[in-house]
Amino acid sequence: MTEQGPMTEAMYYILLSLLKPGHGYGMMQRIKELSSGRLIMGPGTLYGVLSRMSKEGLIIPTGEEGRRKNYAITEAGKTALLTEYRRLKSMVADGKMLEEDAT
């Protein structure tokens, strides 16, 4: 995998959902759950991002159950997800001054 910049929200939540391997419809449900209903991902977005992440080696297909294709996160995907998580945490920490100025 090449060095990448910040992830899109869709990429982040797909990788987060794939910490438990699954199929597309299950991922859409899990993403909705993980985001407390804030993010509802449609199949067009999901499958476009899955294709891209598969090419980048962040996820792998693990088989099919009928028409459902199953996916799992790779070690490279876990590393990329953790890197993005740390980047986001740093940004939130940097923004704490907003709360301090509000009081």
Side-chain angles (χ1 to χ4, degrees):
M1 182 184 93
T2 59
E3 186 64 31
Q4 66 178 44
M7 281 184 190
T8 65
E9 188 174 33
M11 288 177 69
Y12 182 81
Y13 276 98
I14 289 170
L15 289 175
L16 197 59
S17 76
L18 284 176
L19 290 173
K20 293 181 181 177
H23 54 77
Y25 180 75
M27 278 185 260
M28 288 188 285
Q29 296 303 307
R30 184 130 169 81
I31 289 165
K32 183 178 178 182
E33 176 187 314
L34 288 168
S35 69
S36 300
R38 188 182 52 77
L39 180 61
I40 302 199
M41 191 169 304
T45 300
L46 178 74
Y47 289 104
V49 176
L50 287 174
S51 175
R52 176 178 164 208
M53 289 194 308
S54 185
K55 289 175 186 169
E56 293 176 358
L58 301 175
I59 63 170
I60 55 168
T62 59
E64 295 184 28
E65 294 174 22
R67 292 181 13 200
R68 294 182 172 177
K69 293 181 183 177
N70 293 303
Y71 298 89
I73 191 170
T74 63
E75 286 304 315
K78 287 179 186 175
T79 299
L81 180 60
L82 186 58
T83 299
E84 181 67 1
Y85 171 74
R86 289 178 177 150
R87 185 187 76 79
L88 293 169
K89 269 182 66 173
S90 292
M91 288 177 63
V92 169
D94 293 346
K96 289 253 187 220
M97 67 185 344
L98 293 169
E99 293 178 3
E100 294 165 1
D101 287 347
T103 57

